Amino acid sequence: MSNVMSLPPWPPAFTPEQQAKLLLLASTYALSRGFTLLPPSPTNPPTSAIPAPLSLCPTPFPRELYDLAVRIQPAYNALYVNITKDVEFLDRVMGGVVSKVDEFQRELWRCWKECRDELVQPLQLGLFRSDYLLHESQEQGKPLELKQVEFNTISSSFGALSELAGKLHGYLRASTNYFGSSELLSNPQSYPENDSLRSLARGLAEGWKAYGKNDAKILFVCQEGERNVFDQKWLEWELLEEHGIHVIRHTFDEIPTYARLADTPKRELLITDPLQPSAPASEIAVVYYRAGYTPTDYPSKQQWSTRLLLERSNAIKCPSLALQLAGAKKVQQVLAEPGVLEDFLFRGDGQQQFVSKDVEELRQTFTGLYPMDNTELGKEAYRLAMEEPEKFVLKPQREGGGNNIYRQDIPPFLRKLEASPTAPGEPPKKEGYILMSLIEPPQGLRNLLVKGGSLTANEGDVVSELGIYGVALFSDRDEGCVVNRGAGTLLRTKGRESDEGGVAVGYSVVDSVVLV
Ligand code: ADP
Ligand code: MG
Ligand code: MG
């Protein structure tokens, strides 16, 4: 257990001239090194980029808890791999009540059910990110704790920008020594190595290699109008330059025009190049989704049939439908029920790999998680949500930020849900949600946040969310994983008043840690 009691006051004091210098150095670095986003209304092709949201200083984080988060990532990877392999569990948890009340989860689950008995490719690839906040207990003298916000199994973004943010802060240290303002900032040992870009690209390359065809390519499935495109392009260039692997990018809507399955028992995924229609089609080894995690990615039946086409192919999916379902918030809540965590972790070769200390370390990162159903626990959760809403966040089965209901908004929201009609025999709509205790990050930390190239007026406290990336390559016909490792880290920092944490949705900045 950590004995970290508190963090230093932050950031150190800078004169306005020093701040201006840091801003200038950070902005030029960001623009020239590709720490960038597309501007709000980009031209095609783009003629400008803006610095991605950033912090001028890295943010202090307890070394012990950072090390803990990194250390337990392989166990978290193994846990979600084992969940993904358990058809009966996913049918019960995601195909049951959740599918009855949540149309998006229902379609994901239905698509999976429709094709799962005829899948030809046994390998699946996960590029995960487990997200945490520091928790400061109300009890006097209790050390800071690491608490998991969620575990992402699809489109875990910012791996590239995160590695660049670490380099940017390293550059500011090297070139200004942060004006001698802080011993912590002056000490190179405070800055951990972070290779999230290289490590995630290596994960995709490992999937590609396991597919076993030298001329096969990787397909990135992207969103139309994506502004966080450079985070993806960095992966593409790393794959090409370090691994000799070619990437093809397409949106869901483009795929039906260019993609088909070979008329063979293996159903290879083949993509035609629209600029060279008579050239042989490219075979796809890995389908990497940076889209498909939110209902707006599926405006009609056509996108669902595209998803099904890709799923049925011989390409390795990152993630498969099953792996995406395993990342649902409902699964996170069920894992907190007694016995479930150890049951999954000790499955297969987990029995040799993990011990009860691993279970303890994972469980220590859980915070209160409750179903919104008719069980005793569910009834208790409902009472808590109505009577003490300031302690909770209510979460639907959604990804991408901006979907949760916080604190005082919970009771009227639940009342409204209950007032909306359900068909006879259907479960109440609230069962599509989970209730989670609010994690209370330590107070008193601030930072200099830069958005759209300018320092924000934010004078208040900030909150930082640590993400730990993980890679798992596994076969549903074998125990355990072919690859299971951590893959670098991310720190996102936002004003404390903002409940949601997404960088892409405009609330937080990409930061990095200095360890204390
Ligand atoms: P999403 O999948 O949309 O990113 P999250 O579960 O990560 O959903 O929630 C979005 C944001 O809400 C998080 O980044 C965090 O800032 C905040 N949040 C979520 N759960 C909690 C919690 N239990 N305590 C405090 N803040 C939370
Ligand atoms: Mg998420
Ligand atoms: Mg999140």
Side-chain angles (χ1 to χ4, degrees), residues 32-78:
S32 60
R33 294 296 177 97
F35 181 86
T36 43
L37 298 180
L38 283 177
S41 306
T43 54
N44 186 15
T47 49
S48 64
I50 59 170
L54 59 90
S55 61
L56 289 184
C57 293
T59 295
F61 200 93
R63 184 181 291 273
E64 204 174 325
L65 296 180
Y66 181 87
D67 289 346
L68 172 69
V70 169
R71 185 169 75 240
I72 63 181
Q73 187 62 30
Y76 262 125
N77 295 344

mmCIF file of all heavy atoms in Angstrom, residues 32-78:
data_model
loop_
_atom_site.group_PDB
_atom_site.id
_atom_site.type_symbol
_atom_site.label_atom_id
_atom_site.label_comp_id
_atom_site.label_asym_id
_atom_site.label_seq_id
_atom_site.Cartn_x
_atom_site.Cartn_y
_atom_site.Cartn_z
ATOM 1 N N SER A 32 6.108 21.847 -35.005
ATOM 2 C CA SER A 32 7.111 21.263 -35.901
ATOM 3 C C SER A 32 7.281 19.776 -35.670
ATOM 4 O O SER A 32 7.684 19.057 -36.575
ATOM 5 C CB SER A 32 8.435 22.004 -35.783
ATOM 6 O OG SER A 32 8.894 21.927 -34.461
ATOM 7 N N ARG A 33 6.950 19.272 -34.485
ATOM 8 C CA ARG A 33 7.122 17.838 -34.215
ATOM 9 C C ARG A 33 5.828 17.043 -34.324
ATOM 10 O O ARG A 33 5.768 15.886 -33.920
ATOM 11 C CB ARG A 33 7.716 17.642 -32.813
ATOM 12 C CG ARG A 33 9.131 18.178 -32.663
ATOM 13 C CD ARG A 33 10.092 17.417 -33.572
ATOM 14 N NE ARG A 33 11.437 17.932 -33.504
ATOM 15 C CZ ARG A 33 12.416 17.413 -32.745
ATOM 16 N NH1 ARG A 33 12.168 16.390 -31.967
ATOM 17 N NH2 ARG A 33 13.618 17.940 -32.767
ATOM 18 N N GLY A 34 4.775 17.672 -34.813
ATOM 19 C CA GLY A 34 3.547 16.922 -35.053
ATOM 20 C C GLY A 34 2.756 16.583 -33.801
ATOM 21 O O GLY A 34 2.003 15.609 -33.790
ATOM 22 N N PHE A 35 2.906 17.405 -32.760
ATOM 23 C CA PHE A 35 2.021 17.281 -31.592
ATOM 24 C C PHE A 35 0.817 18.168 -31.913
ATOM 25 O O PHE A 35 0.654 19.267 -31.382
ATOM 26 C CB PHE A 35 2.753 17.754 -30.332
ATOM 27 C CG PHE A 35 1.931 17.650 -29.074
ATOM 28 C CD1 PHE A 35 1.893 16.475 -28.350
ATOM 29 C CD2 PHE A 35 1.199 18.733 -28.609
ATOM 30 C CE1 PHE A 35 1.137 16.379 -27.184
ATOM 31 C CE2 PHE A 35 0.437 18.648 -27.451
ATOM 32 C CZ PHE A 35 0.411 17.467 -26.746
ATOM 33 N N THR A 36 -0.010 17.697 -32.838
ATOM 34 C CA THR A 36 -0.984 18.605 -33.440
ATOM 35 C C THR A 36 -2.356 17.955 -33.628
ATOM 36 O O THR A 36 -2.504 16.731 -33.627
ATOM 37 C CB THR A 36 -0.489 19.036 -34.848
ATOM 38 O OG1 THR A 36 0.033 17.882 -35.529
ATOM 39 C CG2 THR A 36 0.593 20.085 -34.757
ATOM 40 N N LEU A 37 -3.349 18.835 -33.806
ATOM 41 C CA LEU A 37 -4.695 18.451 -34.234
ATOM 42 C C LEU A 37 -4.993 19.233 -35.504
ATOM 43 O O LEU A 37 -4.384 20.278 -35.748
ATOM 44 C CB LEU A 37 -5.742 18.876 -33.194
ATOM 45 C CG LEU A 37 -5.722 18.315 -31.786
ATOM 46 C CD1 LEU A 37 -6.888 18.922 -30.996
ATOM 47 C CD2 LEU A 37 -5.837 16.793 -31.796
ATOM 48 N N LEU A 38 -5.971 18.762 -36.278
ATOM 49 C CA LEU A 38 -6.459 19.593 -37.367
ATOM 50 C C LEU A 38 -7.270 20.742 -36.767
ATOM 51 O O LEU A 38 -7.893 20.583 -35.711
ATOM 52 C CB LEU A 38 -7.336 18.767 -38.320
ATOM 53 C CG LEU A 38 -6.580 17.838 -39.273
ATOM 54 C CD1 LEU A 38 -7.572 17.026 -40.090
ATOM 55 C CD2 LEU A 38 -5.636 18.628 -40.184
ATOM 56 N N PRO A 39 -7.291 21.908 -37.431
ATOM 57 C CA PRO A 39 -8.107 23.018 -36.916
ATOM 58 C C PRO A 39 -9.589 22.672 -37.033
ATOM 59 O O PRO A 39 -9.954 21.724 -37.731
ATOM 60 C CB PRO A 39 -7.715 24.183 -37.834
ATOM 61 C CG PRO A 39 -7.207 23.550 -39.077
ATOM 62 C CD PRO A 39 -6.607 22.233 -38.686
ATOM 63 N N PRO A 40 -10.463 23.451 -36.361
ATOM 64 C CA PRO A 40 -11.898 23.118 -36.344
ATOM 65 C C PRO A 40 -12.537 22.905 -37.723
ATOM 66 O O PRO A 40 -13.310 21.992 -37.874
ATOM 67 C CB PRO A 40 -12.519 24.301 -35.604
ATOM 68 C CG PRO A 40 -11.429 24.763 -34.694
ATOM 69 C CD PRO A 40 -10.140 24.556 -35.436
ATOM 70 N N SER A 41 -12.222 23.737 -38.711
ATOM 71 C CA SER A 41 -12.807 23.470 -40.035
ATOM 72 C C SER A 41 -11.693 23.286 -41.050
ATOM 73 O O SER A 41 -11.369 24.206 -41.792
ATOM 74 C CB SER A 41 -13.717 24.622 -40.476
ATOM 75 O OG SER A 41 -14.663 24.868 -39.483
ATOM 76 N N PRO A 42 -11.112 22.095 -41.104
ATOM 77 C CA PRO A 42 -9.949 21.905 -41.963
ATOM 78 C C PRO A 42 -10.342 21.896 -43.443
ATOM 79 O O PRO A 42 -11.460 21.522 -43.791
ATOM 80 C CB PRO A 42 -9.418 20.531 -41.545
ATOM 81 C CG PRO A 42 -10.591 19.831 -40.954
ATOM 82 C CD PRO A 42 -11.495 20.870 -40.396
ATOM 83 N N THR A 43 -9.417 22.350 -44.279
ATOM 84 C CA THR A 43 -9.627 22.218 -45.722
ATOM 85 C C THR A 43 -9.170 20.827 -46.129
ATOM 86 O O THR A 43 -8.532 20.120 -45.354
ATOM 87 C CB THR A 43 -8.791 23.262 -46.478
ATOM 88 O OG1 THR A 43 -7.433 23.124 -46.058
ATOM 89 C CG2 THR A 43 -9.280 24.679 -46.203
ATOM 90 N N ASN A 44 -9.500 20.441 -47.351
ATOM 91 C CA ASN A 44 -9.065 19.142 -47.866
ATOM 92 C C ASN A 44 -8.300 19.353 -49.171
ATOM 93 O O ASN A 44 -8.889 19.739 -50.160
ATOM 94 C CB ASN A 44 -10.291 18.260 -48.093
ATOM 95 C CG ASN A 44 -9.889 16.852 -48.498
ATOM 96 O OD1 ASN A 44 -8.721 16.461 -48.350
ATOM 97 N ND2 ASN A 44 -10.832 16.100 -49.026
ATOM 98 N N PRO A 45 -6.989 19.151 -49.243
ATOM 99 C CA PRO A 45 -6.147 18.705 -48.133
ATOM 100 C C PRO A 45 -5.922 19.818 -47.113
ATOM 101 O O PRO A 45 -6.056 20.987 -47.450
ATOM 102 C CB PRO A 45 -4.825 18.358 -48.832
ATOM 103 C CG PRO A 45 -4.788 19.253 -50.022
ATOM 104 C CD PRO A 45 -6.206 19.388 -50.477
ATOM 105 N N PRO A 46 -5.567 19.450 -45.871
ATOM 106 C CA PRO A 46 -5.373 20.481 -44.854
ATOM 107 C C PRO A 46 -4.174 21.361 -45.172
ATOM 108 O O PRO A 46 -3.186 20.895 -45.733
ATOM 109 C CB PRO A 46 -5.133 19.679 -43.572
ATOM 110 C CG PRO A 46 -4.778 18.320 -44.005
ATOM 111 C CD PRO A 46 -5.348 18.098 -45.367
ATOM 112 N N THR A 47 -4.291 22.639 -44.814
ATOM 113 C CA THR A 47 -3.172 23.549 -45.042
ATOM 114 C C THR A 47 -2.652 24.099 -43.723
ATOM 115 O O THR A 47 -1.748 24.924 -43.693
ATOM 116 C CB THR A 47 -3.601 24.717 -45.936
ATOM 117 O OG1 THR A 47 -4.818 25.257 -45.397
ATOM 118 C CG2 THR A 47 -3.846 24.243 -47.360
ATOM 119 N N SER A 48 -3.245 23.694 -42.606
ATOM 120 C CA SER A 48 -2.740 24.137 -41.311
ATOM 121 C C SER A 48 -3.090 23.122 -40.237
ATOM 122 O O SER A 48 -3.990 22.296 -40.406
ATOM 123 C CB SER A 48 -3.337 25.503 -40.940
ATOM 124 O OG SER A 48 -4.727 25.372 -40.777
ATOM 125 N N ALA A 49 -2.343 23.193 -39.145
ATOM 126 C CA ALA A 49 -2.615 22.363 -37.970
ATOM 127 C C ALA A 49 -2.481 23.272 -36.761
ATOM 128 O O ALA A 49 -1.872 24.344 -36.852
ATOM 129 C CB ALA A 49 -1.622 21.215 -37.894
ATOM 130 N N ILE A 50 -3.057 22.862 -35.644
ATOM 131 C CA ILE A 50 -2.881 23.632 -34.411
ATOM 132 C C ILE A 50 -2.216 22.740 -33.365
ATOM 133 O O ILE A 50 -2.335 21.507 -33.424
ATOM 134 C CB ILE A 50 -4.229 24.167 -33.855
ATOM 135 C CG1 ILE A 50 -5.205 23.005 -33.573
ATOM 136 C CG2 ILE A 50 -4.863 25.161 -34.827
ATOM 137 C CD1 ILE A 50 -6.438 23.431 -32.814
ATOM 138 N N PRO A 51 -1.471 23.357 -32.405
ATOM 139 C CA PRO A 51 -0.912 22.519 -31.349
ATOM 140 C C PRO A 51 -2.038 21.796 -30.621
ATOM 141 O O PRO A 51 -3.078 22.397 -30.349
ATOM 142 C CB PRO A 51 -0.224 23.518 -30.408
ATOM 143 C CG PRO A 51 -0.033 24.766 -31.215
ATOM 144 C CD PRO A 51 -1.164 24.787 -32.209
ATOM 145 N N ALA A 52 -1.877 20.510 -30.357
ATOM 146 C CA ALA A 52 -2.858 19.790 -29.538
ATOM 147 C C ALA A 52 -2.852 20.425 -28.148
ATOM 148 O O ALA A 52 -1.842 20.994 -27.720
ATOM 149 C CB ALA A 52 -2.493 18.312 -29.471
ATOM 150 N N PRO A 53 -3.979 20.338 -27.418
ATOM 151 C CA PRO A 53 -4.021 20.898 -26.061
ATOM 152 C C PRO A 53 -2.888 20.317 -25.216
ATOM 153 O O PRO A 53 -2.675 19.098 -25.217
ATOM 154 C CB PRO A 53 -5.379 20.456 -25.531
ATOM 155 C CG PRO A 53 -6.199 20.135 -26.739
ATOM 156 C CD PRO A 53 -5.237 19.686 -27.795
ATOM 157 N N LEU A 54 -2.160 21.190 -24.530
ATOM 158 C CA LEU A 54 -0.998 20.713 -23.763
ATOM 159 C C LEU A 54 -0.865 21.475 -22.457
ATOM 160 O O LEU A 54 -1.510 22.508 -22.260
ATOM 161 C CB LEU A 54 0.274 20.862 -24.605
ATOM 162 C CG LEU A 54 0.657 22.266 -25.108
ATOM 163 C CD1 LEU A 54 1.560 22.998 -24.117
ATOM 164 C CD2 LEU A 54 1.377 22.165 -26.447
ATOM 165 N N SER A 55 -0.031 20.948 -21.572
ATOM 166 C CA SER A 55 0.295 21.643 -20.327
ATOM 167 C C SER A 55 1.742 22.108 -20.435
ATOM 168 O O SER A 55 2.575 21.405 -21.011
ATOM 169 C CB SER A 55 0.132 20.690 -19.146
ATOM 170 O OG SER A 55 1.017 19.600 -19.312
ATOM 171 N N LEU A 56 2.023 23.286 -19.886
ATOM 172 C CA LEU A 56 3.408 23.776 -19.981
ATOM 173 C C LEU A 56 4.342 23.021 -19.039
ATOM 174 O O LEU A 56 5.516 22.869 -19.327
ATOM 175 C CB LEU A 56 3.469 25.280 -19.707
ATOM 176 C CG LEU A 56 2.881 26.178 -20.799
ATOM 177 C CD1 LEU A 56 3.094 27.647 -20.467
ATOM 178 C CD2 LEU A 56 3.472 25.846 -22.168
ATOM 179 N N CYS A 57 3.815 22.558 -17.914
ATOM 180 C CA CYS A 57 4.628 21.745 -16.996
ATOM 181 C C CYS A 57 4.053 20.339 -16.955
ATOM 182 O O CYS A 57 2.839 20.166 -17.052
ATOM 183 C CB CYS A 57 4.552 22.282 -15.567
ATOM 184 S SG CYS A 57 5.321 23.873 -15.369
ATOM 185 N N PRO A 58 4.904 19.338 -16.761
ATOM 186 C CA PRO A 58 4.353 18.029 -16.417
ATOM 187 C C PRO A 58 3.728 18.098 -15.024
ATOM 188 O O PRO A 58 3.939 19.072 -14.302
ATOM 189 C CB PRO A 58 5.581 17.110 -16.436
ATOM 190 C CG PRO A 58 6.758 18.010 -16.281
ATOM 191 C CD PRO A 58 6.366 19.368 -16.783
ATOM 192 N N THR A 59 2.941 17.111 -14.658
ATOM 193 C CA THR A 59 2.213 17.140 -13.382
ATOM 194 C C THR A 59 2.772 16.082 -12.430
ATOM 195 O O THR A 59 3.016 14.943 -12.853
ATOM 196 C CB THR A 59 0.705 16.900 -13.644
ATOM 197 O OG1 THR A 59 0.199 17.997 -14.399
ATOM 198 C CG2 THR A 59 -0.088 16.764 -12.362
ATOM 199 N N PRO A 60 2.975 16.442 -11.164
ATOM 200 C CA PRO A 60 3.502 15.458 -10.200
ATOM 201 C C PRO A 60 2.532 14.292 -9.996
ATOM 202 O O PRO A 60 1.321 14.490 -9.936
ATOM 203 C CB PRO A 60 3.636 16.247 -8.889
ATOM 204 C CG PRO A 60 3.537 17.677 -9.263
ATOM 205 C CD PRO A 60 2.754 17.761 -10.537
ATOM 206 N N PHE A 61 3.094 13.098 -9.898
ATOM 207 C CA PHE A 61 2.292 11.890 -9.664
ATOM 208 C C PHE A 61 3.111 11.005 -8.734
ATOM 209 O O PHE A 61 4.323 10.889 -8.894
ATOM 210 C CB PHE A 61 2.020 11.171 -10.991
ATOM 211 C CG PHE A 61 0.849 10.230 -10.943
ATOM 212 C CD1 PHE A 61 -0.415 10.660 -11.319
ATOM 213 C CD2 PHE A 61 1.011 8.913 -10.501
ATOM 214 C CE1 PHE A 61 -1.512 9.792 -11.269
ATOM 215 C CE2 PHE A 61 -0.078 8.053 -10.437
ATOM 216 C CZ PHE A 61 -1.349 8.493 -10.824
ATOM 217 N N PRO A 62 2.478 10.356 -7.752
ATOM 218 C CA PRO A 62 3.255 9.513 -6.829
ATOM 219 C C PRO A 62 3.892 8.332 -7.578
ATOM 220 O O PRO A 62 3.194 7.565 -8.227
ATOM 221 C CB PRO A 62 2.210 8.998 -5.840
ATOM 222 C CG PRO A 62 1.035 9.895 -5.992
ATOM 223 C CD PRO A 62 1.050 10.407 -7.396
ATOM 224 N N ARG A 63 5.202 8.216 -7.435
ATOM 225 C CA ARG A 63 5.954 7.177 -8.139
ATOM 226 C C ARG A 63 5.428 5.785 -7.816
ATOM 227 O O ARG A 63 5.273 4.931 -8.692
ATOM 228 C CB ARG A 63 7.438 7.275 -7.740
ATOM 229 C CG ARG A 63 8.358 6.313 -8.480
ATOM 230 C CD ARG A 63 9.809 6.470 -8.006
ATOM 231 N NE ARG A 63 10.401 7.740 -8.408
ATOM 232 C CZ ARG A 63 11.022 7.963 -9.575
ATOM 233 N NH1 ARG A 63 11.112 6.993 -10.457
ATOM 234 N NH2 ARG A 63 11.535 9.134 -9.853
ATOM 235 N N GLU A 64 5.118 5.601 -6.539
ATOM 236 C CA GLU A 64 4.688 4.274 -6.098
ATOM 237 C C GLU A 64 3.382 3.849 -6.799
ATOM 238 O O GLU A 64 3.219 2.692 -7.187
ATOM 239 C CB GLU A 64 4.438 4.361 -4.594
ATOM 240 C CG GLU A 64 4.542 3.078 -3.874
ATOM 241 C CD GLU A 64 4.431 3.323 -2.383
ATOM 242 O OE1 GLU A 64 4.916 4.383 -1.903
ATOM 243 O OE2 GLU A 64 3.843 2.484 -1.716
ATOM 244 N N LEU A 65 2.479 4.813 -6.967
ATOM 245 C CA LEU A 65 1.194 4.481 -7.586
ATOM 246 C C LEU A 65 1.318 4.383 -9.106
ATOM 247 O O LEU A 65 0.609 3.606 -9.753
ATOM 248 C CB LEU A 65 0.131 5.517 -7.175
ATOM 249 C CG LEU A 65 -0.163 5.515 -5.669
ATOM 250 C CD1 LEU A 65 -1.220 6.564 -5.321
ATOM 251 C CD2 LEU A 65 -0.615 4.136 -5.176
ATOM 252 N N TYR A 66 2.223 5.167 -9.658
ATOM 253 C CA TYR A 66 2.511 5.048 -11.095
ATOM 254 C C TYR A 66 3.085 3.660 -11.374
ATOM 255 O O TYR A 66 2.642 2.958 -12.292
ATOM 256 C CB TYR A 66 3.499 6.147 -11.489
ATOM 257 C CG TYR A 66 3.886 6.169 -12.954
ATOM 258 C CD1 TYR A 66 3.120 6.870 -13.878
ATOM 259 C CD2 TYR A 66 5.033 5.509 -13.404
ATOM 260 C CE1 TYR A 66 3.477 6.910 -15.219
ATOM 261 C CE2 TYR A 66 5.392 5.542 -14.745
ATOM 262 C CZ TYR A 66 4.610 6.244 -15.645
ATOM 263 O OH TYR A 66 4.970 6.279 -16.973
ATOM 264 N N ASP A 67 4.059 3.261 -10.560
ATOM 265 C CA ASP A 67 4.669 1.931 -10.734
ATOM 266 C C ASP A 67 3.633 0.827 -10.560
ATOM 267 O O ASP A 67 3.652 -0.177 -11.281
ATOM 268 C CB ASP A 67 5.805 1.715 -9.725
ATOM 269 C CG ASP A 67 7.026 2.565 -10.058
ATOM 270 O OD1 ASP A 67 7.082 3.100 -11.191
ATOM 271 O OD2 ASP A 67 7.899 2.712 -9.190
ATOM 272 N N LEU A 68 2.733 1.018 -9.602
ATOM 273 C CA LEU A 68 1.677 0.025 -9.383
ATOM 274 C C LEU A 68 0.810 -0.109 -10.635
ATOM 275 O O LEU A 68 0.539 -1.225 -11.111
ATOM 276 C CB LEU A 68 0.811 0.444 -8.181
ATOM 277 C CG LEU A 68 -0.447 -0.399 -7.934
ATOM 278 C CD1 LEU A 68 -0.085 -1.802 -7.452
ATOM 279 C CD2 LEU A 68 -1.383 0.283 -6.919
ATOM 280 N N ALA A 69 0.390 1.040 -11.181
ATOM 281 C CA ALA A 69 -0.477 1.014 -12.370
ATOM 282 C C ALA A 69 0.211 0.300 -13.535
ATOM 283 O O ALA A 69 -0.409 -0.482 -14.249
ATOM 284 C CB ALA A 69 -0.865 2.439 -12.765
ATOM 285 N N VAL A 70 1.489 0.572 -13.706
ATOM 286 C CA VAL A 70 2.248 -0.066 -14.793
ATOM 287 C C VAL A 70 2.387 -1.568 -14.521
ATOM 288 O O VAL A 70 2.203 -2.394 -15.414
ATOM 289 C CB VAL A 70 3.635 0.599 -14.940
ATOM 290 C CG1 VAL A 70 4.529 -0.202 -15.869
ATOM 291 C CG2 VAL A 70 3.477 2.035 -15.443
ATOM 292 N N ARG A 71 2.663 -1.902 -13.263
ATOM 293 C CA ARG A 71 2.924 -3.305 -12.907
ATOM 294 C C ARG A 71 1.705 -4.201 -13.090
ATOM 295 O O ARG A 71 1.820 -5.358 -13.491
ATOM 296 C CB ARG A 71 3.392 -3.344 -11.439
ATOM 297 C CG ARG A 71 3.813 -4.716 -10.955
ATOM 298 C CD ARG A 71 4.509 -4.631 -9.605
ATOM 299 N NE ARG A 71 3.587 -4.407 -8.520
ATOM 300 C CZ ARG A 71 3.610 -3.349 -7.705
ATOM 301 N NH1 ARG A 71 4.517 -2.395 -7.857
ATOM 302 N NH2 ARG A 71 2.725 -3.225 -6.738
ATOM 303 N N ILE A 72 0.514 -3.654 -12.794
ATOM 304 C CA ILE A 72 -0.667 -4.521 -12.846
ATOM 305 C C ILE A 72 -1.296 -4.585 -14.243
ATOM 306 O O ILE A 72 -2.252 -5.321 -14.455
ATOM 307 C CB ILE A 72 -1.755 -4.092 -11.829
ATOM 308 C CG1 ILE A 72 -2.283 -2.679 -12.140
ATOM 309 C CG2 ILE A 72 -1.223 -4.177 -10.412
ATOM 310 C CD1 ILE A 72 -3.343 -2.199 -11.155
ATOM 311 N N GLN A 73 -0.725 -3.864 -15.205
ATOM 312 C CA GLN A 73 -1.365 -3.847 -16.534
ATOM 313 C C GLN A 73 -1.457 -5.247 -17.161
ATOM 314 O O GLN A 73 -2.500 -5.605 -17.702
ATOM 315 C CB GLN A 73 -0.662 -2.856 -17.471
ATOM 316 C CG GLN A 73 -1.357 -2.660 -18.808
ATOM 317 C CD GLN A 73 -2.769 -2.094 -18.677
ATOM 318 O OE1 GLN A 73 -3.058 -1.348 -17.740
ATOM 319 N NE2 GLN A 73 -3.664 -2.474 -19.588
ATOM 320 N N PRO A 74 -0.401 -6.071 -17.091
ATOM 321 C CA PRO A 74 -0.535 -7.416 -17.680
ATOM 322 C C PRO A 74 -1.662 -8.235 -17.046
ATOM 323 O O PRO A 74 -2.341 -9.002 -17.748
ATOM 324 C CB PRO A 74 0.833 -8.058 -17.425
ATOM 325 C CG PRO A 74 1.777 -6.894 -17.362
ATOM 326 C CD PRO A 74 0.988 -5.800 -16.682
ATOM 327 N N ALA A 75 -1.889 -8.045 -15.756
ATOM 328 C CA ALA A 75 -3.002 -8.770 -15.120
ATOM 329 C C ALA A 75 -4.339 -8.241 -15.639
ATOM 330 O O ALA A 75 -5.265 -9.020 -15.913
ATOM 331 C CB ALA A 75 -2.916 -8.642 -13.599
ATOM 332 N N TYR A 76 -4.446 -6.919 -15.790
ATOM 333 C CA TYR A 76 -5.676 -6.366 -16.371
ATOM 334 C C TYR A 76 -5.884 -6.861 -17.805
ATOM 335 O O TYR A 76 -6.991 -7.194 -18.213
ATOM 336 C CB TYR A 76 -5.663 -4.834 -16.345
ATOM 337 C CG TYR A 76 -6.432 -4.255 -15.169
ATOM 338 C CD1 TYR A 76 -5.841 -3.362 -14.278
ATOM 339 C CD2 TYR A 76 -7.757 -4.608 -14.952
ATOM 340 C CE1 TYR A 76 -6.548 -2.838 -13.203
ATOM 341 C CE2 TYR A 76 -8.474 -4.092 -13.878
ATOM 342 C CZ TYR A 76 -7.870 -3.203 -13.012
ATOM 343 O OH TYR A 76 -8.585 -2.697 -11.955
ATOM 344 N N ASN A 77 -4.786 -6.896 -18.578
ATOM 345 C CA ASN A 77 -4.907 -7.419 -19.950
ATOM 346 C C ASN A 77 -5.459 -8.845 -19.930
ATOM 347 O O ASN A 77 -6.400 -9.178 -20.664
ATOM 348 C CB ASN A 77 -3.542 -7.456 -20.648
ATOM 349 C CG ASN A 77 -2.933 -6.075 -20.873
ATOM 350 O OD1 ASN A 77 -3.616 -5.061 -20.779
ATOM 351 N ND2 ASN A 77 -1.636 -6.046 -21.156
ATOM 352 N N ALA A 78 -4.842 -9.695 -19.094
ATOM 353 C CA ALA A 78 -5.235 -11.110 -19.026
ATOM 354 C C ALA A 78 -6.695 -11.236 -18.603
ATOM 355 O O ALA A 78 -7.449 -12.070 -19.115
ATOM 356 C CB ALA A 78 -4.336 -11.851 -18.043
#
